Amino acid sequence: MRKVLEHYARKEPLQWRKVTVLPASAMVHFTHRPHTRVGVACPVCHGEVAAMGVARRAVALDMAFCVACHEREGASVDCLTCHH
């Protein structure tokens, strides 16, 4: 977070490096918006990034992880919710 705040203070754009990349073969359309709208906290999927010196993949973001969360939270598990 320190580097993010330093860039913000200098009004410099951030150069993001993806930590998690979903393969095109998964045909998954993911957007953060519906998750943030219902209050899913960032650490649920990204781990405790604020405590990391360098961002790393902390959670296996695979179909089993997502379906388990959708079932637990009562979200749709219809295939077309994510695959289209």
Side-chain angles (χ1 to χ4, degrees):
M1 287 306 298
R2 182 174 13 94
K3 285 187 178 185
V4 172
L5 293 173
E6 288 169 0
H7 278 271
Y8 179 78
R10 293 189 305 260
K11 296 181 174 38
E12 294 176 353
L14 288 167
Q15 297 298 316
W16 293 102
R17 186 180 311 155
K18 284 190 170 214
V19 175
T20 302
V21 178
L22 299 173
S25 61
M27 298 183 290
V28 173
H29 176 75
F30 178 84
T31 178
H32 286 93
R33 184 170 293 140
H35 298 88
T36 57
R37 186 174 41 233
V38 297
V40 177
C42 301
V44 171
C45 301
H46 296 288
E48 294 294 337
V49 177
M52 296 178 193
V54 175
R56 62 179 169 71
R57 186 174 177 180
V59 177
L61 297 176
D62 57 18
M63 188 167 162
F65 174 82
C66 296
V67 169
C69 186
H70 276 225
E71 288 175 340
R72 186 174 56 251
E73 299 300 325
S76 176
V77 292
D78 182 282
C79 298
L80 293 177
T81 299
C82 304
H83 299 276
H84 46 89

